Amino acid sequence: MNFTVLTIFPEMFSTLLVGGIVKRAIENEYISVEPIDIRGFTNDRHRTVDDRPYGGGCGMVMKPEPVAEAVRHARKKRPESYTVLLTPQGRLFDQQVAQELTGCKGLILVCGRYEGIDERIREHLVDDEISIGDYVLTGGELAAMVVIDAVSRLIPGTLGGEDSAQEDSFSTGLLEHPQYTRPRSFEGADVPDVLLSGNHGAVKEWRRQASLLRTVLNRPDLLREHHLSRDDMEFMKKLQKDIKTIIGKHSTES
Ligand code: SAM
């Protein structure tokens, strides 16, 4: 998949080549990342990309003309790409959206700066608007890198062992079970015995239950949408019973 990034800081994207899976995915041609400088589509000596907001107020707004030219240029080059504006006002990016975007032939990621981009770009020149979270960044570049990273690792082949993405948190609808590696004992904390047992069935069951428990504790909201198997329900009922017993014991003591 090709990611074309429209930005006034194209050099930021060289960090993707520092190391890790995204670098490998680029080198192995599973993905390509092409940053394009929006300033290249200005016509004045100062390569101006911003202007004061109509109606007053502080900050500057990205002018529509260079952004529109950059989007048109990118679309001409990659006509099958899907154009996404990174904005805190967009739909929230999550694993499902990342998975959905793997179905695109290519992505054109439009990065704002200052107080954002002139509204007419959003209205007329993008297919989608994505926010990476309910906070405001100084620019869309980090958000674009988050999208590139999360989408890339879902493209078959990029991870090497493809199973690893399927088992990740959110891919299964739950948080992933805890992970351990050597040493067996670390600063007095031991790896759970079951993981050393060589019993694949028991390991699988432990992981599923650990995953359920972690999700109940940290992100119970995820379970509202998630289908639970009969075994899962039995585990949850046992958990509920244990919790009730503990609460009952403590309330009679207090
Ligand atoms: N004034 C804008 C608002 O309140 O919606 C925020 C502008 S922000 C300082 C500048 C740029 O950073 C935005 O145009 C957008 O491209 C990017 N940005 C900031 N927060 C983001 C987020 N949570 N997700 C995606 N992009 C974000």
Side-chain angles (χ1 to χ4, degrees):
M1 181 190 291
N2 169 266
F3 298 90
T4 301
V5 190
L6 308 184
T7 167
I8 60 168
F9 293 116
E11 62 280 7
M12 282 179 76
F13 291 83
S14 60
T15 58
L16 294 174
L17 289 169
V18 170
I21 284 165
V22 173
K23 177 183 183 221
R24 201 179 62 198
I26 294 170
E27 286 171 352
N28 292 337
E29 298 181 4
Y30 286 108
I31 63 165
S32 56
V33 180
E34 186 189 0
I36 293 182
D37 191 348
I38 294 171
R39 286 191 198 279
F41 298 87
T42 53
N43 295 315
D44 64 314
R45 203 157 52 91
H46 300 291
R47 306 196 339 138
T48 312
V49 289
D50 60 323
D51 206 341
R52 283 168 300 159
Y54 272 123
C58 51
M60 299 295 271
V61 175
M62 283 183 78
K63 289 160 66 60
E65 305 96 317
V67 181
E69 284 306 308
V71 171
R72 290 195 180 107
H73 167 84
R75 281 187 168 164
K76 200 165 169 196
K77 210 167 163 193
R78 308 263 179 195
E80 294 187 321
S81 285
Y82 185 66
T83 308
V84 176
L85 173 68
L86 280 319
T87 161
Q89 303 180 16
R91 63 180 173 133
L92 270 184
F93 186 64
D94 62 12
Q95 193 71 5
Q96 232 175 319
V97 176
Q99 186 67 57
E100 183 191 314
L101 294 179
T102 61
C104 298
K105 291 258 165 29
L107 289 177
I108 298 169
L109 302 170
V110 187
C111 304
R113 279 272 155 179
Y114 312 105
E115 287 307 315
I117 301 178
D118 185 288
E119 178 68 5
R120 290 162 290 186
I121 296 296
R122 190 193 67 72
E123 284 172 347
H124 304 297
L125 277 168
V126 301
D127 301 313
D128 205 346
E129 297 162 59
I130 284 181
S131 163
I132 62 157
D134 289 343
Y135 41 80
V136 178
L137 302 164
T138 53
E141 289 75 12
L142 289 175
M145 283 190 234
V146 166
V147 171
I148 292 170
D149 190 294
V151 172
S152 297
R153 68 192 298 288
L154 294 175
I155 294 172
T158 52
L159 291 183
E162 285 179 25
D163 279 351
S164 32
Q166 285 162 20
E167 306 238 318
D168 278 334
S169 297
F170 310 111
S171 288
T172 60
L174 301 176
L175 301 182
E176 195 184 53
H177 54 77
Q179 299 276 14
Y180 297 90
T181 185
R182 286 184 290 180
R184 188 170 173 166
S185 189
F186 171 69
E187 297 184 353
D190 293 340
V191 173
D193 286 339
V194 63
L195 298 180
L196 309 167
S197 68
N199 181 337
H200 297 302
V203 169
K204 195 171 168 208
E205 186 186 10
W206 180 87
R207 285 185 166 161
R208 179 72 189 173
Q209 294 182 351
S211 175
L212 280 166
L213 182 59
R214 187 157 276 203
T215 311
V216 171
L217 294 176
N218 294 351
R219 291 291 305 276
D221 56 301
L222 295 176
L223 287 166
R224 265 178 240 130
E225 305 294 325
H226 189 74
H227 169 76
L228 296 177
S229 68
R230 190 180 296 213
D231 286 347
D232 291 340
M233 281 306 289
E234 263 173 39
F235 172 71
M236 299 285 278
K237 280 182 189 158
K238 183 174 174 306
L239 205 60
Q240 187 187 33
K241 206 168 140 206
D242 290 346
I243 293 170
K244 274 189 181 160
T245 311
I246 295 166
I247 293 173
K249 187 169 174 291
H250 285 276
S251 34
T252 47
E253 277 171 7
S254 58

